[in-house]
Amino acid sequence: MSWSQTVEKTVTGLGYELVDLERTGGGLLRVYIDRVPGHAYPTGEHEFVTVEDCEAVTRQLQYLLEVEGVEYARLEVSSPGLDRPLKTEAHYARFSGEQVQITLKLPFQGRKKFEGQLQAAPEGGGWQLIFTQDKVEQVLGFELQEVREARLVPVINFKGRRKAAPAASQDGQEAGATDGGQEQ
């Protein structure tokens, strides 16, 4: 088993998702983890990775990497951040409906970068990004192999990505959220 498979098996065994893994020439081993929705964690019901989550994974990885004889100078375990990368089909499915920024490998109509709402393609194959260009709604269909990089667009209010329930207006009728469905 390779060192990367060992790290992935350990992280997933602890109930976390391995988002990304980097190894630099200077001996730095960087591991990005995320919480799995619906999983109960001993550190509490938080939507995002906590310092305690990173500490728990770090302790386990330090022990395991020593036992396996994997050489490294420094180990960093952290959250993927607010602009979390999307790398697998499962990532795209989990964050369908969210605002994402994608960079294509090859330009489409003269550009590679697009930002909009991620959705599964209605015909069941691939993905689509719904965005506005020149005040006109556009739909860009794509397959994962066409994407160089995809990231969530950060939520600036730091209250998370949960959708807010429609607020009632003064006349008692529901009013649409004016913040794109984010919590206030």
Side-chain angles (χ1 to χ4, degrees):
M1 186 180 307
S2 72
W3 68 270
S4 59
Q5 291 170 322
T6 300
V7 169
E8 182 174 11
K9 186 175 180 181
T10 302
V11 169
T12 57
L14 292 170
Y16 298 93
E17 174 190 10
L18 178 64
V19 175
D20 205 359
L21 184 61
E22 297 175 3
R23 190 170 189 161
T24 67
L28 172 64
L29 182 58
R30 188 174 289 137
V31 178
Y32 295 96
I33 63 170
D34 202 358
R35 286 183 163 212
V36 176
H39 189 279
Y41 293 93
T43 57
E45 295 298 319
H46 304 284
E47 184 176 357
F48 301 107
V49 172
T50 66
V51 172
E52 292 81 11
D53 294 327
C54 293
E55 288 173 348
V57 172
T58 298
R59 280 192 300 275
Q60 189 65 31
L61 284 176
Q62 285 173 329
Y63 172 76
L64 181 74
L65 295 172
E66 183 179 333
V67 168
E68 294 291 323
V70 176
E71 292 188 31
Y72 64 96
R74 193 171 84 221
L75 174 65
E76 291 181 8
V77 176
S78 68
S79 146
L82 294 175
D83 63 341
R84 180 194 202 282
L86 306 179
K87 296 192 173 255
T88 67
E89 195 80 34
H91 293 169
Y92 281 74
R94 177 177 171 189
F95 293 104
S96 181
E98 298 290 345
Q99 289 292 116
V100 299
Q101 183 179 64
I102 65 168
T103 303
L104 299 173
K105 291 177 182 175
L106 299 172
F108 177 73
Q109 295 182 345
R111 63 189 264 206
K112 289 184 176 183
K113 290 190 177 196
F114 295 87
E115 184 176 312
Q117 184 183 40
L118 177 67
Q119 292 183 352
E123 59 274 357
W127 297 92
Q128 62 184 22
L129 195 67
I130 300 171
F131 63 98
T132 303
Q133 182 176 344
D134 300 326
K135 298 182 182 179
V136 177
E137 189 174 272
Q138 305 281 324
V139 178
L140 171 70
F142 63 93
E143 300 285 334
L144 261 56
Q145 64 268 20
E146 297 175 283
V147 177
R148 178 179 313 277
E149 179 181 46
R151 292 188 168 274
L152 291 178
V153 173
V155 174
I156 305 302
N157 67 13
F158 297 104
K159 289 188 177 181
R161 295 184 174 278
R162 290 180 294 245
K163 303 291 185 215
S169 65
Q170 290 181 356
D171 63 2
Q173 296 181 350
E174 285 186 354
T178 58
D179 64 347
Q182 303 297 317
E183 284 186 4
Q184 295 291 323

